[in-house]
């Protein structure tokens, strides 16, 4: 089904990125974090709040919406805004929708942000917080299953049983990403680890150990999306949005494939690559949603970097290391940089394509893939392909 | 031990939980195309019709996956416990979660049988044990 609504490829660009520090206790509100990151991204682009006519975020009832952040920054006439419900699975959808709004001319300069106190206030790991009010909870929580590490561990084991994926495979990805974080001044976890450290880390929910799990982070990250034309006149080299795609996911309702070892990314990937006019071989660097080590392995397969079932051996071959054929999560990812729910993956992809990633720069990076949570838990996913101008 | 959580049933699910309370493992059977579905909801995803009836099924399935939980994510969840993901024989395109009722860990693909277990708030849960042991 070929759908073509508007000329989208490379028509919009990320013109700036901004961050707050990543910490375990920000000491401030999510509204404050959001404002700081938005101003930081605008400053990076050489713009100010007066240039903004769109704001977009996603949240799970845990953060400040555009209707609060706009007025707090004196931006009162937003011609477009988006307050998307959802976690990591819609993180890239937010940026994609902002790019669509800009391409359609509804807004000219949109700032996308995610601001969370995911350690000091609303813990993403589910420790001690109230259960979400959604129908599927009644089929899981009474059995003691409700936190993301538990849900993902269940999928990870299914993959191990079906394809022979091992703890060492998971561990290699954790070690690789930590090595990247060592080179990233923004990263929360900068002490190198070995495979033995990984194997010795305590059980969270078997087959997951502590070092399979992402951090819980306080912090915010923001991106300025505008037309490619306008971005070329701004302070930084533009990074073009070549493709944005959305997908479904693994539902608890019968009637779907009920295959816990293949994610919605497998169906999304051809749409994404088709829109960008390239394939996985053209991708120079990838920021792959790493709420857990396993989510990297399964997406390497589903985005076509290796055959189905071979994500583990692919990682063990060194392919995803900084000097490998496909450097993955060059900032350290959610496992080691910090967990800002997806937005910091897009921001790192932008850095790599601008060539300003410092010690962790992938030489000659021209095309980047950045992906959202691949559709487990909340059955939705999204992804972006970005390109050097 | 697994932590104790009281959850809310809904207008789709309440009749299903009523049946587990009587020791019945029920599936919804579509009147139009005959497809079985779980968990409970109004529409058949295959033929998109709303007419269906409850049908008692054997609480049987196979182990798709499991976890051994160690982290105390909720109150009362201090000791390790096992949660299984089961593919029910009566609705093979559904994956159900449940507690594990055996001293040993599950084995991938092994046949299991439902065990009706009292849960919080008067709900009768469906746990799983090895079939024929
Ligand atoms: Zn039907």
């Amino acid at each position: 089904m070929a759908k073509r609504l508007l000329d989208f490829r490379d028509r919009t660009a990320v013109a700036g990125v901004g961050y707050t520090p990543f910490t375990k206790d920000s000491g401030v509100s999510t509204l404050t974090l959001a404002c700081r990151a938005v101003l930081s991204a605008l400053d990076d682009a050489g713009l100010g709040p007066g240039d903004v006519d769109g704001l977009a975020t996603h949240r799970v009832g845990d953060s400040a919406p555009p209707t609060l952040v706009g007025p707090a920054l004196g931006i009162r006439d937003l011609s477009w805004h988006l307050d998307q419900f959802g976690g990591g699975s819609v993180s890239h959808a937010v940026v994609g929708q902002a790019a669509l709004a800009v391409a359609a001319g509804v807004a000219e300069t949109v700032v996308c942000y995610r601001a969370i106190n995911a350690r000091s206030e609303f813990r993403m790991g589910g420790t001690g917080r109230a259960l979400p009010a959604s129908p599927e909870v009644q089929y899981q929580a009474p059995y003691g299953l409700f936190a993301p590490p538990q849900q993902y561990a269940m999928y990870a084991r299914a993959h191990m049983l079906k394809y022979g994926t091992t703890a060492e495979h998971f561990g290699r990805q954790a070690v690789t990403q930590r090595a990247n974080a060592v080179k990233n001044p923004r990263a929360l976890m900068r002490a190198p680890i070995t495979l033995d450290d990984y194997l010795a880390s305590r059980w969270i929910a078997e087959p997951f150990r502590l070092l399979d799990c992402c951090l819980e982070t306080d912090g915010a990250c923001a991106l300025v999306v505008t037309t490619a034309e306008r971005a070329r006149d701004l302070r930084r080299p533009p990074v073009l949005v070549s493709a944005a795609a959305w997908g479904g996911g693994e539902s608890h309702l019968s009637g779907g494939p009920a295959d816990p070892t293949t994610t919605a990314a497998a169906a999304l990937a051809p749409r994404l690559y088709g829109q960008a006019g390239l394939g996985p071989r053209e991708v120079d660097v990838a920021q792959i949603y790493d709420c857990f080590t396993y989510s990297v392995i399964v997406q390497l397969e589903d985005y076509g970097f290796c055959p189905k079932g071979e994500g583990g051996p692919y990682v063990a071959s060194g392919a995803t290391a900084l000097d490998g054929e496909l450097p993955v999560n060059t900032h350290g990812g959610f496992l080691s940089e910090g967990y800002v729910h997806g937005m910091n993956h897009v921001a790192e992809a932008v850095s790599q394509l601008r060539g300003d990633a410092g010690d962790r720069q992938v030489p000659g990076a021209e095309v980047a893939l950045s992906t959202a949570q691949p559709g487990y838990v909340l059955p939705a996913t999204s992804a972006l392909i970005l390109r050097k101008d | 031990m697994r932590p104790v959580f009281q959850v809310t049933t809904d207008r789709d699910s309440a009749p299903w939980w009523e049946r587990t309370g009587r020791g019945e493992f029920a599936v919804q059977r579509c009147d139009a195309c005959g497809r079985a579905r779980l968990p409970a909801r109004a529409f058949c995803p295959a033929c998109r019709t709303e007419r269906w009836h409850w049908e008692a099924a054997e609480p049987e399935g196979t182990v798709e996956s499991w976890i051994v939980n160690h982290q105390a994510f909720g109150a009362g969840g201090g000791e390790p416990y096992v949660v299984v993901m089961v593919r029910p024989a009566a609705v093979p395109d559904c994956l159900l979660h449940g507690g594990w009722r055996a001293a040993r860990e599950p084995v991938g693909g092994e046949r299991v049988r439902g065990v009706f277990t009292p849960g919080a708030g008067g709900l009768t849960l469906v746990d799983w044990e090895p079939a024929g042991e």
Side-chain angles (χ1 to χ4, degrees):
Chain A
M1 207 167 19
K3 286 171 260 186
R4 202 167 173 83
L5 297 176
L6 82 157
D7 188 9
F8 180 71
R9 184 197 300 172
D10 300 339
R11 297 298 292 270
T12 60
V14 179
V17 299
Y19 297 91
T20 67
F22 296 163
T23 67
K24 288 183 172 180
D25 186 359
S26 70
V28 298
S29 66
T30 55
L31 175 60
T32 301
L33 289 174
C35 289
R36 287 177 181 167
V38 167
L39 291 176
S40 159
L42 286 167
D43 182 58
D44 186 52
L47 295 170
D51 298 304
V52 175
D53 59 0
L55 282 173
T57 196
H58 68 100
R59 57 190 182 120
V60 287
D62 60 346
S63 186
T67 47
L68 199 57
V69 172
L73 291 174
I75 306 167
R76 297 201 170 264
D77 183 26
L78 287 173
S79 58
W80 184 79
H81 49 86
L82 174 73
D83 182 14
Q84 166 113 40
F85 176 83
S89 57
V90 299
S91 55
H92 289 55
V94 167
V95 182
Q97 281 157 171
L100 281 175
V102 169
V106 181
E108 193 187 21
T109 304
V110 178
V111 186
C112 305
Y113 67 89
R114 179 74 173 114
I116 44 178
N117 281 325
R119 183 62 180 80
S120 67
E121 287 189 322
F122 186 93
R123 289 191 69 173
M124 278 296 153
T127 315
R129 74 165 141 103
L131 292 174
S134 85
E136 62 261 48
V137 167
Q138 65 187 297
Y139 302 107
Q140 297 191 351
Y143 305 103
L145 182 83
F146 52 94
Q150 301 174 308
Q151 293 165 315
Y152 251 92
M154 195 70 89
Y155 294 115
R157 176 155 351 236
H159 198 275
M160 297 169 91
L161 291 169
K162 187 165 180 182
Y163 295 115
T165 309
T166 65
E168 284 73 16
H169 295 150
F170 297 148
R172 281 294 298 272
Q173 189 57 32
V175 169
T176 292
Q177 291 190 206
R178 181 61 63 85
N180 297 345
V182 169
K183 300 179 174 184
N184 175 7
R186 251 192 336 266
L188 271 170
M189 306 299 277
R190 300 193 66 194
I193 55 169
T194 64
L195 190 59
D196 285 341
D197 294 331
Y198 165 85
L199 292 169
S201 69
R202 69 183 167 88
W203 290 119
I204 298 297
E206 293 177 53
F208 281 170
R209 297 168 166 84
L210 180 68
L211 293 177
D212 285 299
C213 303
C214 71
L215 306 171
E216 294 173 298
T217 307
D218 285 12
C221 180
L223 312 165
V224 179
V225 177
T226 187
T227 62
E229 207 174 18
R230 182 156 194 249
R232 290 186 182 107
D233 295 332
L234 297 177
R235 184 180 285 166
R236 297 287 191 178
V239 169
L240 304 177
V241 181
S242 282
W246 289 252
E250 177 69 27
S251 169
H252 75 297
L253 301 178
S254 65
D259 175 4
T261 62
T262 296
T263 72
L268 174 154
R271 290 197 292 277
L272 183 77
Y273 291 130
Q275 203 183 97
L278 49 80
R281 270 178 207 82
E282 279 74 49
V283 174
D284 299 311
V285 59
Q287 314 305 340
I288 296 184
Y289 201 91
D290 57 319
C291 44
F292 304 98
T293 49
Y294 165 69
S295 63
V296 176
I297 284 171
V298 71
Q299 288 181 87
L300 287 167
E301 300 166 0
D302 293 347
Y303 279 100
F305 296 106
C306 61
K308 190 67 206 168
E310 291 180 24
Y314 185 75
V315 163
S317 77
T320 60
L322 209 48
D323 60 355
E325 66 174 46
L326 181 76
V328 170
N329 297 340
T330 48
H331 48 342
F334 308 144
L335 298 177
S336 287
E337 185 195 49
Y339 186 58
V340 192
H341 231 170
M343 208 62 80
N344 53 323
H345 270 8
V346 189
E348 172 69 6
V350 170
S351 270
Q352 289 288 344
L353 298 175
R354 298 201 309 205
D356 62 18
D359 290 347
R360 61 187 195 282
Q361 179 66 46
V362 175
E366 293 194 354
V367 174
L369 168 71
S370 191
T371 78
Q373 199 270 101
Y376 290 129
V377 187
L378 181 72
T381 189
S382 50
L384 298 165
I385 289 178
L386 305 177
R387 196 168 70 74
K388 190 174 174 172
D389 192 17
Chain B
M1 276 296 292
R2 65 189 177 205
V4 179
F5 274 114
Q6 191 157 342
V7 295
T8 314
T9 63
D10 59 45
R11 290 178 180 189
D12 290 324
S13 69
W16 189 78
W17 288 114
E18 264 172 49
R19 281 167 172 77
T20 65
R22 304 200 292 265
E24 180 182 315
F25 182 75
V27 301
Q28 283 175 298
R29 180 77 63 189
C30 174
D31 287 345
C33 76
R35 168 101 63 132
R37 66 178 183 266
L38 277 179
R41 66 241 133 104
F43 278 84
C44 170
C47 72
R48 288 90 177 184
T49 58
E50 279 195 67
R51 291 184 50 233
W52 53 271
H53 61 276
W54 289 110
E55 187 179 287
E58 285 301 315
E60 292 172 350
T62 49
V63 170
E64 190 78 14
S65 187
W66 73 93
I67 63 167
V68 183
N69 191 75
H70 292 260
Q71 172 94 353
F73 288 105
E79 292 300 307
Y81 59 91
V82 175
V83 186
V84 280
M85 179 190 269
V86 169
R87 192 179 290 276
V91 193
D93 59 352
C94 173
L95 298 169
L96 288 179
H97 295 104
W100 178 243
R101 299 275 153 188
R104 61 164 175 84
E105 273 192 47
V107 175
E110 80 169 294
R111 289 178 51 247
V112 290
R113 189 162 179 85
V115 180
F116 298 92
T117 310
L123 223 54
T124 299
L125 307 178
V126 184
D127 288 335
W128 300 88
E129 66 181 10
E133 269 183 28

